[in-house]
Amino acid sequence: MPPDRPDELPEILRRLARGERIEHFETVRSRKDGSLVHVSLTISPILDPSGSVVACSAIGRDISERKRIEEQIAFLAYHDRLTGLPNRSMFEEVAEMGLARARRHDLAIAVLYLDLDNFKMVNDSLGHAAGDDLLRQVAARLMEASRETDLVARLGGDEFLVLLADLPPLANKNSEGAENAQMAAETVASRIHEALERPFVVSGRGTLRLDQHRDQHLSARRRGLTDVAQERRRGHVPEQESGTLRVRVVRIGPSGGETKLALVTRLRKAVEDGQWVLHYQSVVDLIDGNVAAVEALLRWKDPTRGLVPPGEFIALAEEMGLIEAIGEWLYTEIFRQAAEWRCRGVEVGISFNLSPR
């Protein structure tokens, strides 16, 4: 019996002395090597002919695996499976307690909301493993940048929340308290901003950067917490009107212009739909002026941008492993066109560029 359970045996003996049978008594026991094991005990008193308890028999069953599963289920009920962060349920419970405590003690709370816009492009372009890796890294950096007393949670998908409770008290007669609360929230938000500025190396698939835009809505109204409304927005997250800060990560990829991931997504769609067209440029014999051959030039017929020259997508197609499919379309179309010209009596050589991939 482990030394930290001194009262367990006397209680068991008292129950047995009364002739009571103990069933499914869950406890912990020490193995010979000192390791602990969860067990379920069934202990029965043994009586002599006069009905007195003279001994007992005990059966112990190892329930360690069941306990492990129960603990895992309990953990997942309040934690996100991917990142290990608290989930929406835990966030809402802690936020409710934080609001109640803030009302009692005239404190302030703040909620930081972050989401990764265009995150679907990471999954579509680099795969779900890369997307999961990015989410885990973002979660780790949020934990790194927040205070020990803050609660970082994953709301779901690509959305995160940070609860800053017990901020400096709000003053009813002046705005000093509200400004202190705002300053504390801004400090945490700035640390998060700095933490997310560093590039993310994702599952060996390359480097991603988060382009951050902060939407600040810190009204610092001179109001007491007693008349603060608990707004429910985006997943029923309680917010405190007198101090709300939302941080929004709106783009994944290089700053300015179209992101690489957005281009990859459209390029994959082009491969699937065959959004290509060939232009044939004549090769003229300078001596007699006749067309000696043609060169096939590939163009991407993008539904949104029109014709896109190869210089803007060939290198990316090679990098992402899409060039083989594009090449197959190109060869098939060239052979089809050559056969059609031959049927018309036109014999002409056709040249084209071939990717070394």
Side-chain angles (χ1 to χ4, degrees):
M1 187 172 296
D4 62 346
R5 295 172 179 261
D7 299 329
E8 190 173 288
L9 183 57
E11 174 61 23
I12 290 175
L13 294 176
R14 279 193 294 269
R15 293 174 62 182
L16 290 172
R18 295 194 297 265
E20 182 181 342
R21 174 183 167 90
I22 301 172
E23 296 191 45
H24 309 301
F25 179 77
E26 295 187 3
T27 183
V28 175
R29 290 292 180 261
S30 297
R31 295 188 177 95
K32 288 183 178 181
D33 61 3
S35 62
L36 299 179
V37 56
H38 289 277
V39 295
S40 174
L41 299 178
T42 297
I43 310 173
S44 303
I46 298 176
L47 308 179
D48 64 10
S50 66
S52 299
V53 178
V54 294
C56 67
S57 66
I59 299 175
R61 183 164 57 94
D62 186 341
I63 58 171
S64 298
E65 180 62 16
R66 195 196 80 195
K67 283 292 186 181
R68 186 191 66 80
I69 294 174
E70 289 176 352
E71 291 172 359
Q72 184 179 21
I73 292 173
F75 179 84
L76 292 178
Y78 286 96
H79 292 82
D80 173 56
R81 182 187 296 269
L82 176 64
T83 63
L85 292 178
N87 60 14
R88 177 189 311 201
S89 297
M90 177 178 284
F91 183 89
E92 290 185 351
E93 289 189 13
V94 175
E96 293 286 354
M97 291 188 292
L99 281 169
R101 188 167 58 251
R103 291 191 187 98
R104 286 196 304 270
H105 302 289
D106 284 334
L107 299 174
I109 69 171
V111 174
L112 311 186
Y113 167 78
L114 305 93
D115 82 313
L116 309 181
D117 282 358
N118 303 325
F119 175 73
K120 184 175 182 294
M121 295 178 183
V122 179
N123 289 334
D124 291 346
S125 304
L126 302 181
H128 287 275
D132 289 348
D133 191 12
L134 177 61
L135 290 175
R136 282 190 291 264
Q137 291 189 49
V138 169
R141 294 195 190 181
L142 292 178
M143 289 291 294
E144 168 192 320
S146 59
R147 307 170 304 174
E148 289 186 3
T149 55
D150 299 334
L151 178 70
V152 180
R154 184 185 178 201
L155 183 59
D158 56 9
E159 298 175 303
F160 296 88
L161 291 166
V162 183
L163 176 67
L164 286 70
D166 299 339
L167 294 177
L170 298 178
N172 294 324
K173 297 181 180 180
N174 55 64
S175 62
E176 180 181 353
E179 290 175 356
N180 290 339
Q182 176 175 335
M183 186 178 301
E186 284 279 11
T187 300
V188 176
S190 296
R191 288 206 298 264
I192 290 175
H193 177 77
E194 293 174 2
L196 297 179
E197 276 188 328
R198 304 194 305 271
F200 293 82
V201 180
V202 180
S203 294
R205 299 300 302 273
T207 301
L208 298 177
R209 290 182 179 273
L210 304 187
D211 221 3
Q212 302 181 65
H213 293 258
R214 296 170 59 187
D215 174 22
Q216 299 184 20
H217 183 63
L218 288 163
S219 57
R221 300 173 184 172
R222 298 186 183 95
R223 301 180 55 182
L225 280 170
T226 54
D227 57 349
V228 169
Q230 294 182 34
E231 298 176 356
R232 298 281 181 174
R233 57 177 282 277
R234 295 197 67 136
H236 307 291
V237 181
E239 288 194 353
Q240 195 249 90
E241 289 183 353
S242 55
T244 303
L245 173 65
R246 290 184 292 274
V247 181
R248 191 169 182 81
V249 184
V250 298
R251 192 186 301 114
I252 298 179
S255 301
E258 183 182 36
T259 69
K260 179 178 179 181
L261 289 176
L263 181 59
V264 169
T265 300
R266 292 195 300 108
L267 191 56
R268 288 187 184 276
K269 180 68 172 173
V271 171
E272 293 173 2
D273 296 345
Q275 298 172 1
W276 315 112
V277 63
L278 287 178
H279 289 179
Y280 293 91
Q281 180 170 282
S282 301
V283 179
V284 179
D285 188 328
L286 295 181
I287 297 177
D288 56 20
N290 294 325
V291 175
V294 294
E295 180 182 3
L297 304 175
L298 180 69
R299 298 290 184 268
W300 175 8
K301 195 173 182 180
D302 188 347
T304 59
R305 291 183 53 193
L307 292 179
V308 182
E312 295 187 21
F313 66 88
I314 290 296
L316 183 59
E318 290 177 333
E319 177 186 343
M320 301 307 300
L322 300 174
I323 196 65
E324 292 83 359
I326 296 174
E328 288 292 334
W329 182 94
L330 179 107
Y331 312 144
T332 303
E333 177 59 22
I334 287 177
F335 299 152
R336 185 203 63 77
Q337 184 65 72
E340 180 183 319
W341 283 340
R342 188 175 293 111
C343 290
R344 297 181 183 181
V346 178
E347 294 283 346
V348 62
I350 304 176
S351 62
F352 56 91
N353 292 322
L354 177 67
S355 169
R357 296 291 179 91

